[in-house]
Amino acid sequence: MTLFTIGYEGASQGAVIAALKAAGVRLLLDVRELPSSRRAGFSKSPLRAGLEAEGIGYLHLKKLGTPKEGRIANRAGRMAAFWSIVEDGLARGEAQYELALAGSLALEQPACLLCFEADHTHCHRLAVADRLVAAHGLDVVHLRPDPGF
């Protein structure tokens, strides 16, 4: 089974949904700690509504999100600190529970991890995906929405 990831930075909700549909995604796993956004269509309720209108499920997995101090480190370009904070957060019991849930759901249907950063190498969803690959043998494909959509 393939696990997808996607970042919505610079994209519209329509472009993200189009990329998800083209890949055959049936469930979006929102791995942001805070599912709110200044970008139109990406706060929890409007995102869920847009996805569900297109036949894609939505689940917010808060404990898989980057803690505030990690987001601050990322914005400041302190990547070593960022990755350390991400690793510590994912080692917590609550995160382990949500990782197991995400893995079981991804084995049942095509699922995609969503966060903000367009470049997955600068986003904690890479660490989440790596754990799911190790635990469940999933293949990973990092999607990029077409910004012109």
Side-chain angles (χ1 to χ4, degrees):
M1 185 68 82
T2 300
L3 173 70
F4 299 92
T5 83
I6 195 165
Y8 64 89
E9 181 178 18
S12 67
Q13 186 192 80
V16 168
I17 291 173
L20 296 173
K21 288 178 70 174
V25 170
R26 304 293 302 146
L27 176 65
L28 184 87
L29 301 171
D30 187 341
V31 294
R32 299 174 293 170
E33 182 181 52
L34 303 172
S36 60
S37 179
R38 285 178 249 153
R39 192 154 189 76
F42 289 101
S43 289
K44 185 176 185 173
S45 293
L47 179 58
R48 178 185 315 193
L51 290 164
E52 289 178 353
E54 296 295 330
I56 301 171
Y58 172 90
L59 179 63
H60 176 225
L61 297 173
K62 176 181 181 163
K63 300 303 181 182
L64 297 184
T66 303
K68 182 177 182 176
E69 61 272 15
R71 296 189 303 272
I72 291 169
N74 188 317
R75 282 192 294 273
R78 297 185 349 256
M79 298 310 286
F82 166 72
W83 289 115
S84 177
I85 293 164
V86 166
E87 295 296 326
D88 289 347
L90 292 175
R92 295 186 324 249
E94 303 95 340
Q96 291 296 305
Y97 171 80
E98 288 192 353
L99 278 167
L101 176 59
S104 67
L105 291 169
L107 289 171
E108 293 173 6
Q109 61 190 315
C112 183
L113 306 176
L114 171 116
C115 197
F116 172 73
E117 289 82 3
D119 183 351
H120 66 276
T121 65
H122 293 131
C123 182
H124 83 289
R125 73 180 184 274
L126 179 61
V128 174
D130 286 348
R131 279 173 173 67
L132 294 174
V133 166
H136 302 284
L138 300 166
D139 294 321
V140 177
V141 173
H142 301 285
L143 302 174
R144 285 260 168 140
D146 179 356
F149 183 88

